[in-house]
Amino acid sequence: MDNTKKTGISTTRRLTETAIMIAVATVLSYITPYSLPMGGTVTLFSQVPIIVIGYRYNFKWGAFTGIIYGLLQMLLQGLGNFAYVKGFASYLILILFDYVLAYMSLGVFAAVFRKMKYHTIGICLGATLACVARFLCHFISGVTIWKEYAEGWDSIWAYSAAYNGSYMVMEWLSTLLGVIVLSMLFDFTKENLRKKKYTAEEMIVDDGEFDIEEAKKAKEEDDRENNQFTF
């Protein structure tokens, strides 16, 4: 799991950032500005910290972060759900698909598009894929262990899709808003999180030629900033 050589960021710093982001996500998960008629709640950007860590540190670290966060969610907010299911298989499905795999998917799939040139697009695509994966986990849980709550529905598949889809769509939109804003302010692929202050297009002078000296100056300034240990 140690990818210090690949990222240039120490394991100590990664652990510190991860712990902070898990704590932030946990706090945000308690802020639920909207509850759905069928059940389920929409949190205030609680998925964003996990997705950011996955995008910043890649699949393995994202998986680790998501699993820890999922277990915390189960211990802090989900233990009551065990009273509604019976049998070892049901307990296992509940643990895996409603918590461990569901939240692990946020950290894993967030990293899929991290090598894209345009980071905002990359993290948005990753966040979308992560939300789809989390929805599928909850959907599987719904059709296997929550069937008795589909009273009045002709199909358990339709019930699970409607119940889990209703709040996951809202979570997805909230998450997209959060990652778009953050990606415009920070470059998650850099140690100091600072965005580049120049682009090739900005180095083109009025006559259409590339200004090499200006590009060198901008590059030197950017390198100096990258060498500073600034969070």
Side-chain angles (χ1 to χ4, degrees):
M1 193 178 291
D2 188 356
N3 60 354
T4 303
K5 293 182 179 179
K6 295 181 181 180
T7 64
I9 302 175
S10 69
T11 300
T12 300
R13 175 161 180 166
R14 291 203 309 278
L15 285 170
T16 302
E17 289 184 4
T18 300
I20 292 172
M21 293 301 252
I22 289 175
V24 170
T26 301
V27 171
L28 292 176
S29 71
Y30 282 94
I31 304 175
T32 54
Y34 187 66
S35 297
L36 280 299
M38 290 183 64
T41 56
V42 180
T43 65
L44 188 66
F45 308 117
S46 66
Q47 297 184 128
V48 173
I50 309 304
I51 286 174
V52 165
I53 289 295
Y55 184 82
R56 181 160 167 77
Y57 292 122
N58 220 329
F59 302 102
K60 290 183 179 180
W61 200 270
F64 163 74
T65 304
I67 289 172
I68 298 299
Y69 177 65
L71 291 174
L72 279 175
Q73 284 293 294
M74 182 182 70
L75 293 173
L76 296 176
Q77 299 188 45
L79 289 180
N81 290 330
F82 286 86
Y84 299 100
V85 297
K86 297 179 180 179
F88 175 79
S90 295
Y91 293 146
L92 186 61
I93 291 172
L94 176 61
I95 293 170
L96 291 178
F97 288 95
D98 274 336
Y99 296 102
V100 175
L101 295 179
Y103 291 104
M104 183 187 77
S105 65
L106 297 181
V108 171
F109 289 98
V112 172
F113 301 98
R114 70 188 300 271
K115 292 186 178 181
M116 286 189 68
K117 178 179 179 181
Y118 301 103
H119 299 309
T120 298
I121 296 176
I123 197 170
C124 283
L125 290 175
T128 299
L129 196 58
C131 287
V132 170
R134 181 186 166 190
F135 162 76
L136 290 175
C137 287
H138 294 311
F139 175 78
I140 292 171
S141 173
V143 299
T144 53
I145 63 175
W146 301 109
K147 293 183 290 186
E148 61 186 273
Y149 295 94
E151 184 177 351
W153 287 76
D154 294 332
S155 168
I156 180 58
W157 303 88
Y159 168 78
S160 185
Y163 176 87
N164 293 296
S166 60
Y167 69 84
M168 279 307 304
V169 166
M170 301 296 289
E171 284 284 343
W172 168 61
L173 293 174
S174 171
T175 300
L176 278 187
L177 176 60
V179 297
I180 287 173
V181 171
L182 290 178
S183 66
M184 293 174 67
L185 298 174
F186 305 105
D187 184 345
F188 296 116
T189 64
K190 288 189 175 181
E191 179 182 3
N192 60 18
L193 298 172
R194 290 189 178 183
K195 300 276 288 184
K196 281 188 176 181
K197 293 185 178 180
Y198 71 95
T199 63
E201 288 79 6
E202 292 171 343
M203 298 298 105
I204 302 294
V205 295
D206 294 337
D207 60 0
E209 295 181 357
F210 190 77
D211 191 335
I212 297 177
E213 293 302 319
E214 188 66 23
K216 287 182 178 179
K217 291 180 181 178
K219 180 71 164 59
E220 290 173 357
E221 179 182 349
D222 191 56
D223 288 341
R224 283 196 299 271
E225 290 181 353
N226 286 338
N227 289 330
Q228 297 174 357
F229 193 78
T230 305
F231 185 80

